[in-house]
Amino acid sequence: MGYEVKSLDYYVSDREEVRKLLLLAALAGRIMLRSGAETYRVEDTVERLCKSRKDIRYADAFATPTGIFISLEYRSEMMAYLIRVKSIRTDLNRINLVNEFSRKFVNSNMSIDKGIEHLRYINQINIYNRWGKSIFGSLACAFFSMLFGGVFVDFISSFMVSLIILTVISGIHRYKTPPFLSNFIGATLAAVLSILSIYLGLGKNIDIIIIGSIMSMVPGVAITNAMRDTMSGDLVSGLSRGMEAIFSALAIAFGVGMVLNIYFKGLIP
Amino acid sequence: MNIMKQLLFSFLSTIGFAVLFSIPKDSISKSGITGALGWIVFYIASNYFHSKIVGSFFAATTVGILGELLARRYKKPATIYIIPGIIPLVPGAGAYYTMLALIENDFILAAKQGTETLFIAAAISMGITISTFLSKSIKRVKYGD
């Protein structure tokens, strides 16, 4: 990622140290992948971290959105490690921090224990709390509805609807709901609450309120990463992220469509 | 006047999405500017060419190139700037109107809206692809990799 390796004169002392280096690289890769980094960046970081100590002659990594494989060679002995990543939650700050950490680790004689400690610390950082994120996300949706030509009352109701959706989604995240299910629940809520806001006289244009409210769930991250992965030759990751984008979009469309269908045609047609 | 309004709203909207994705605090305003410029390009180009597809393509390319430039300048991963900037361009409205047309049994309109939505998604993908490719090939030429 554009950082030059100055001199590679940092050595590892023994086999135990190499094992720890492998663990450190695995931890770094895991944090990045779970925060929604592109797979080529994960592979690159893991490889650089492994090769930063001079005795390691060969190191290679293969990452997909659901797991990482790492192998390295130390004094004619092969070591391998496999990490399974289950849930991805976009956290751009952690990607940035791990990126900075790896640049620092590669270009210095930082001890491996200290590195692992630092990574564990990065893994716990949440720069914005849950409420801050929800409020800013709902403001984003509300301003987006203004972009689509909404009036002030649409801004208010779009904000309220999105705030409820984001709170519910981050609440059910604890139960490890699959992303498609939480998107479906969010979209259903968006449609129900938008209809409700029209009934209560809070909003004016139902289309604009719904469009604004579903913007916090659209698969923009998946589309971006799918294309960037495909471009760097990670076809498996590109395909799986593309499928993720399609299924998320379908879940949202289905959720909204179901509610609107009932609203327009009644439960019993 | 209208364009100033669009600029302001898209800036604030992008900032909101950026915080939702936990962007580093020193990059908030930069990602907001990226998203606002992307949206303005979308607004002008889609009015000029009378096509949201062309507009999305140019907008995504703008966001991608700006993201790569900022990434180079501030030594941060490019996705930090690209992801919040892309979100306003994602055709959520198109998907919604497709669904609405399907519910009203207007299949011709649904096909029209649906293909437009798909092509907008394709245009965004192409825009990101082109900017990524440009940045990679420039790096390759510069550092002789």
Side-chain angles (χ1 to χ4, degrees):
Chain A
M1 299 299 98
Y3 49 91
E4 311 82 39
V5 178
K6 278 179 219 145
S7 61
L8 285 172
D9 290 340
Y10 311 122
Y11 288 88
V12 278
S13 52
D14 57 355
R15 193 171 173 275
E16 180 61 21
E17 196 90 308
V18 178
R19 202 182 62 84
K20 274 188 193 157
L21 181 66
L22 190 54
L23 276 177
L24 175 132
L27 187 58
R30 182 158 171 265
I31 297 172
M32 283 192 120
L33 202 54
R34 281 186 61 166
S35 311
E38 312 98 304
T39 48
Y40 75 83
R41 191 186 303 283
V42 175
E43 289 174 358
D44 203 67
T45 308
V46 168
E47 252 173 70
R48 273 171 203 273
L49 284 174
C50 286
K51 283 182 181 163
S52 66
R53 298 301 179 254
K54 209 182 178 184
D55 330 27
I56 283 115
R57 238 175 300 144
Y58 167 86
D60 215 341
F62 175 72
T64 70
T66 48
I68 315 172
F69 310 85
I70 311 169
S71 76
L72 59 78
E73 186 185 340
Y74 172 68
R75 290 194 189 148
S76 72
E77 184 189 356
M78 298 299 291
M79 290 187 187
Y81 204 85
L82 184 143
I83 309 128
R84 180 79 171 82
V85 174
K86 285 206 168 127
S87 68
I88 288 183
R89 197 169 207 212
T90 315
D91 192 322
L92 300 174
N93 186 44
R94 284 189 197 161
I95 300 177
N96 177 39
L97 287 177
V98 176
N99 202 46
E100 268 171 16
F101 164 79
S102 81
R103 195 180 298 149
K104 213 167 83 191
F105 185 83
V106 167
N107 287 326
S108 73
N109 201 2
M110 188 194 279
S111 81
I112 294 170
D113 282 328
K114 215 177 151 195
I116 290 179
E117 207 174 283
H118 191 74
L119 280 175
R120 291 223 169 101
Y121 167 68
I122 288 175
N123 202 14
Q124 286 167 356
I125 296 177
N126 283 316
I127 40 171
Y128 307 103
N129 64 20
R130 239 175 77 187
W131 284 105
K133 267 176 155 179
S134 298
I135 287 171
F136 268 89
S138 351
L139 273 179
C141 297
F143 279 117
F144 191 81
S145 66
M146 292 298 272
L147 277 180
F148 260 80
V151 286
F152 185 66
V153 279
D154 297 333
F155 178 85
I156 300 288
S157 42
S158 185
F159 177 77
M160 302 297 274
V161 173
S162 317
L163 191 61
I164 295 171
I165 294 169
L166 287 171
T167 315
V168 168
I169 286 182
S170 71
I172 57 175
H173 188 77
R174 246 177 303 151
Y175 304 108
K176 301 222 162 64
T177 35
F180 313 118
L181 185 61
S182 58
N183 275 357
F184 173 71
I185 293 171
T188 316
L189 265 179
V192 170
L193 292 172
S194 303
I195 292 168
L196 198 69
S197 75
I198 298 287
Y199 260 114
L200 294 175
L202 273 170
K204 196 154 159 278
N205 306 305
I206 188 164
D207 296 356
I208 288 171
I209 301 172
I210 293 180
I211 290 169
S213 316
I214 57 175
M215 279 320 272
S216 60
M217 294 173 284
V218 293
V221 181
I223 293 180
T224 312
N225 278 344
M227 282 334 280
R228 285 174 72 86
D229 278 341
T230 311
M231 269 309 283
S232 36
D234 295 327
L235 299 178
V236 177
S237 308
L239 258 182
S240 47
R241 286 222 160 103
M243 279 317 275
E244 189 194 336
I246 291 171
F247 275 114
S248 307
L250 285 180
I252 296 169
F254 184 71
V256 172
M258 192 183 73
V259 175
L260 285 183
N261 202 11
I262 294 170
Y263 175 58
F264 286 138
K265 296 182 180 163
L267 265 176
I268 305 141
Chain B
M1 196 54 224
N2 197 14
I3 219 160
M4 285 311 286
K5 236 178 174 174
Q6 298 270 330
L7 200 62
L8 179 69
F9 289 152
S10 56
F11 178 74
L12 292 170
S13 184
T14 315
I15 282 184
F17 288 124
V19 173
L20 186 63
F21 295 132
S22 320
I23 194 166
K25 280 185 177 144
D26 54 350
S27 308
I28 293 179
S29 54
K30 287 158 210 154
S31 75
I33 291 167
T34 312
L37 284 177
W39 179 266
I40 286 302
V41 168
F42 169 75
Y43 185 73
I44 292 171
S46 53
N47 277 336
Y48 187 76
F49 295 106
H50 302 290
S51 156
K52 279 185 183 164
I53 301 167
V54 182
S56 305
F57 170 71
F58 282 116
T61 316
T62 312
V63 171
I65 289 174
L66 272 176
E68 298 283 355
L69 287 177
L70 286 170
R72 187 79 34 98
R73 174 82 178 70
Y74 295 102
K75 289 209 186 318
K76 281 186 165 44
T79 26
I80 287 186
Y81 305 104
I82 296 179
I83 285 178
I86 287 291
I87 301 282
L89 304 173
V90 176
Y96 171 74
Y97 287 125
T98 311
M99 207 62 216
L100 206 61
L102 279 177
I103 289 167
E104 284 161 354
N105 281 336
D106 190 343
F107 291 112
I108 295 172
L109 186 64
K112 188 172 160 277
Q113 293 280 3
T115 38
E116 196 187 54
T117 306
L118 274 183
F119 274 104
I120 289 176
I124 292 174
S125 310
M126 265 341 274
I128 299 166
T129 306
I130 284 178
S131 58
T132 313
F133 169 73
L134 278 179
S135 128
K136 283 201 172 169
S137 45
I138 287 170
K139 215 183 272 173
R140 223 162 276 157
V141 171
K142 238 178 159 177
Y143 300 110
D145 187 14

Short mmCIF file of all heavy atoms in Angstrom, two decimals, chain A residues 59-85:
data_model
loop_
_atom_site.label_atom_id
_atom_site.label_comp_id
_atom_site.label_asym_id
_atom_site.label_seq_id
_atom_site.Cartn_x
_atom_site.Cartn_y
_atom_site.Cartn_z
N ALA A 59 6.47 -16.42 2.87
CA ALA A 59 5.19 -16.25 3.57
C ALA A 59 4.14 -15.91 2.53
O ALA A 59 4.40 -15.16 1.59
CB ALA A 59 5.28 -15.12 4.59
N ASP A 60 2.98 -16.52 2.66
CA ASP A 60 1.92 -16.24 1.71
C ASP A 60 0.58 -16.29 2.43
O ASP A 60 0.43 -16.98 3.44
CB ASP A 60 1.94 -17.26 0.57
CG ASP A 60 1.53 -16.59 -0.74
OD1 ASP A 60 0.91 -15.52 -0.66
OD2 ASP A 60 1.83 -17.14 -1.80
N ALA A 61 -0.38 -15.54 1.91
CA ALA A 61 -1.69 -15.50 2.55
C ALA A 61 -2.76 -15.55 1.49
O ALA A 61 -2.57 -15.05 0.37
CB ALA A 61 -1.84 -14.22 3.38
N PHE A 62 -3.86 -16.19 1.83
CA PHE A 62 -5.00 -16.21 0.93
C PHE A 62 -6.22 -15.84 1.75
O PHE A 62 -6.51 -16.47 2.77
CB PHE A 62 -5.18 -17.60 0.31
CG PHE A 62 -6.40 -17.72 -0.52
CD1 PHE A 62 -6.47 -17.10 -1.76
CD2 PHE A 62 -7.49 -18.46 -0.08
CE1 PHE A 62 -7.61 -17.20 -2.53
CE2 PHE A 62 -8.63 -18.57 -0.85
CZ PHE A 62 -8.69 -17.93 -2.08
N ALA A 63 -6.90 -14.77 1.35
CA ALA A 63 -8.06 -14.33 2.13
C ALA A 63 -9.31 -14.34 1.27
O ALA A 63 -9.26 -14.05 0.07
CB ALA A 63 -7.81 -12.92 2.67
N THR A 64 -10.40 -14.74 1.86
CA THR A 64 -11.72 -14.58 1.25
C THR A 64 -12.56 -13.82 2.28
O THR A 64 -12.14 -13.71 3.43
CB THR A 64 -12.38 -15.93 0.94
OG1 THR A 64 -12.75 -16.53 2.17
CG2 THR A 64 -11.48 -16.85 0.17
N PRO A 65 -13.75 -13.32 1.93
CA PRO A 65 -14.52 -12.59 2.94
C PRO A 65 -14.88 -13.42 4.16
O PRO A 65 -15.29 -12.88 5.17
CB PRO A 65 -15.78 -12.18 2.18
CG PRO A 65 -15.36 -12.11 0.78
CD PRO A 65 -14.34 -13.17 0.59
N THR A 66 -14.72 -14.74 4.10
CA THR A 66 -15.10 -15.55 5.25
C THR A 66 -13.94 -16.23 5.96
O THR A 66 -14.16 -16.96 6.91
CB THR A 66 -16.11 -16.64 4.84
OG1 THR A 66 -15.60 -17.27 3.67
CG2 THR A 66 -17.46 -16.04 4.54
N GLY A 67 -12.72 -16.00 5.52
CA GLY A 67 -11.61 -16.63 6.22
C GLY A 67 -10.26 -16.29 5.61
O GLY A 67 -10.17 -15.76 4.51
N ILE A 68 -9.20 -16.55 6.40
CA ILE A 68 -7.84 -16.27 5.92
C ILE A 68 -6.98 -17.52 6.14
O ILE A 68 -7.09 -18.18 7.17
CB ILE A 68 -7.18 -15.11 6.71
CG1 ILE A 68 -8.14 -13.94 6.88
CG2 ILE A 68 -5.92 -14.65 6.03
CD1 ILE A 68 -7.59 -12.87 7.80
N PHE A 69 -6.15 -17.86 5.16
CA PHE A 69 -5.14 -18.92 5.32
C PHE A 69 -3.78 -18.26 5.24
O PHE A 69 -3.54 -17.46 4.36
CB PHE A 69 -5.22 -19.95 4.19
CG PHE A 69 -6.59 -20.48 3.92
CD1 PHE A 69 -7.46 -19.81 3.08
CD2 PHE A 69 -6.99 -21.67 4.48
CE1 PHE A 69 -8.73 -20.29 2.83
CE2 PHE A 69 -8.25 -22.17 4.22
CZ PHE A 69 -9.11 -21.49 3.40
N ILE A 70 -2.91 -18.61 6.20
CA ILE A 70 -1.55 -18.06 6.16
C ILE A 70 -0.58 -19.21 6.26
O ILE A 70 -0.82 -20.15 7.04
CB ILE A 70 -1.29 -17.11 7.35
CG1 ILE A 70 -2.43 -16.10 7.49
CG2 ILE A 70 0.02 -16.39 7.19
CD1 ILE A 70 -2.35 -15.34 8.79
N SER A 71 0.49 -19.15 5.49
CA SER A 71 1.54 -20.13 5.72
C SER A 71 2.89 -19.43 5.60
O SER A 71 3.04 -18.50 4.83
CB SER A 71 1.44 -21.28 4.71
OG SER A 71 1.92 -20.86 3.48
N LEU A 72 3.84 -19.87 6.43
CA LEU A 72 5.19 -19.30 6.32
C LEU A 72 6.23 -20.36 6.59
O LEU A 72 5.96 -21.41 7.18
CB LEU A 72 5.35 -18.09 7.25
CG LEU A 72 5.18 -18.18 8.76
CD1 LEU A 72 6.40 -18.78 9.41
CD2 LEU A 72 4.99 -16.78 9.29
N GLU A 73 7.45 -20.08 6.11
CA GLU A 73 8.54 -21.05 6.24
C GLU A 73 9.62 -20.46 7.13
O GLU A 73 10.06 -19.33 6.94
CB GLU A 73 9.12 -21.34 4.86
CG GLU A 73 10.15 -22.45 4.89
CD GLU A 73 10.81 -22.63 3.54
OE1 GLU A 73 10.22 -22.20 2.53
OE2 GLU A 73 11.91 -23.19 3.51
N TYR A 74 10.04 -21.26 8.12
CA TYR A 74 11.11 -20.82 9.03
C TYR A 74 12.09 -21.96 9.20
O TYR A 74 11.72 -23.03 9.70
CB TYR A 74 10.50 -20.41 10.37
CG TYR A 74 11.52 -20.11 11.44
CD1 TYR A 74 12.34 -18.99 11.35
CD2 TYR A 74 11.64 -20.94 12.55
CE1 TYR A 74 13.27 -18.72 12.31
CE2 TYR A 74 12.56 -20.68 13.53
CZ TYR A 74 13.38 -19.56 13.41
OH TYR A 74 14.30 -19.30 14.39
N ARG A 75 13.29 -21.79 8.76
CA ARG A 75 14.34 -22.82 8.83
C ARG A 75 13.82 -24.17 8.35
O ARG A 75 13.78 -25.14 9.11
CB ARG A 75 14.87 -22.93 10.26
CG ARG A 75 15.67 -21.71 10.63
CD ARG A 75 16.46 -21.95 11.85
NE ARG A 75 17.05 -20.69 12.29
CZ ARG A 75 17.29 -20.40 13.56
NH1 ARG A 75 16.97 -21.26 14.50
NH2 ARG A 75 17.84 -19.26 13.88
N SER A 76 13.38 -24.19 7.11
CA SER A 76 12.88 -25.39 6.44
C SER A 76 11.75 -26.06 7.21
O SER A 76 11.58 -27.26 7.18
CB SER A 76 14.00 -26.39 6.17
OG SER A 76 14.42 -27.00 7.37
N GLU A 77 10.98 -25.25 7.95
CA GLU A 77 9.79 -25.81 8.58
C GLU A 77 8.58 -24.96 8.16
O GLU A 77 8.67 -23.73 8.15
CB GLU A 77 9.94 -25.76 10.10
CG GLU A 77 8.78 -26.41 10.81
CD GLU A 77 8.83 -26.17 12.31
OE1 GLU A 77 9.82 -25.56 12.77
OE2 GLU A 77 7.89 -26.55 13.00
N MET A 78 7.52 -25.62 7.77
CA MET A 78 6.35 -24.86 7.33
C MET A 78 5.37 -24.70 8.49
O MET A 78 5.13 -25.64 9.24
CB MET A 78 5.63 -25.57 6.18
CG MET A 78 6.44 -25.73 4.93
SD MET A 78 6.95 -24.16 4.20
CE MET A 78 5.38 -23.54 3.63
N MET A 79 4.83 -23.51 8.63
CA MET A 79 3.78 -23.28 9.63
C MET A 79 2.57 -22.73 8.91
O MET A 79 2.70 -21.94 7.98
CB MET A 79 4.24 -22.26 10.65
CG MET A 79 5.33 -22.74 11.57
SD MET A 79 5.59 -21.49 12.81
CE MET A 79 7.01 -22.15 13.64
N ALA A 80 1.41 -23.16 9.35
CA ALA A 80 0.18 -22.68 8.69
C ALA A 80 -0.83 -22.29 9.75
O ALA A 80 -0.79 -22.77 10.88
CB ALA A 80 -0.38 -23.75 7.79
N TYR A 81 -1.71 -21.40 9.35
CA TYR A 81 -2.72 -20.92 10.29
C TYR A 81 -3.97 -20.61 9.50
O TYR A 81 -3.90 -20.16 8.37
CB TYR A 81 -2.21 -19.65 10.98
CG TYR A 81 -2.84 -19.39 12.31
CD1 TYR A 81 -2.33 -19.98 13.45
CD2 TYR A 81 -3.94 -18.55 12.42
CE1 TYR A 81 -2.91 -19.74 14.68
CE2 TYR A 81 -4.52 -18.31 13.65
CZ TYR A 81 -4.00 -18.92 14.78
OH TYR A 81 -4.57 -18.68 15.99
N LEU A 82 -5.10 -20.90 10.11
CA LEU A 82 -6.35 -20.64 9.42
C LEU A 82 -7.29 -19.88 10.35
O LEU A 82 -7.42 -20.23 11.51
CB LEU A 82 -6.98 -21.99 9.02
CG LEU A 82 -8.26 -21.94 8.20
CD1 LEU A 82 -8.23 -23.07 7.21
CD2 LEU A 82 -9.48 -22.06 9.07
N ILE A 83 -7.86 -18.81 9.84
CA ILE A 83 -8.78 -18.01 10.65
C ILE A 83 -10.11 -17.95 9.95
O ILE A 83 -10.19 -17.67 8.76
CB ILE A 83 -8.27 -16.57 10.85
CG1 ILE A 83 -6.84 -16.58 11.33
CG2 ILE A 83 -9.15 -15.81 11.81
CD1 ILE A 83 -5.98 -15.72 10.50
N ARG A 84 -11.15 -18.20 10.71
CA ARG A 84 -12.49 -18.13 10.15
C ARG A 84 -13.10 -16.82 10.63
O ARG A 84 -13.06 -16.50 11.81
CB ARG A 84 -13.28 -19.33 10.68
CG ARG A 84 -14.69 -19.41 10.21
CD ARG A 84 -14.74 -19.99 8.82
NE ARG A 84 -16.14 -20.25 8.49
CZ ARG A 84 -16.97 -19.31 8.06
NH1 ARG A 84 -16.54 -18.10 7.88
NH2 ARG A 84 -18.23 -19.61 7.80
N VAL A 85 -13.66 -16.06 9.68
CA VAL A 85 -14.30 -14.79 10.03
C VAL A 85 -15.79 -14.92 9.78
O VAL A 85 -16.20 -15.30 8.69
CB VAL A 85 -13.72 -13.64 9.18
CG1 VAL A 85 -14.48 -12.35 9.44
CG2 VAL A 85 -12.26 -13.43 9.52
#
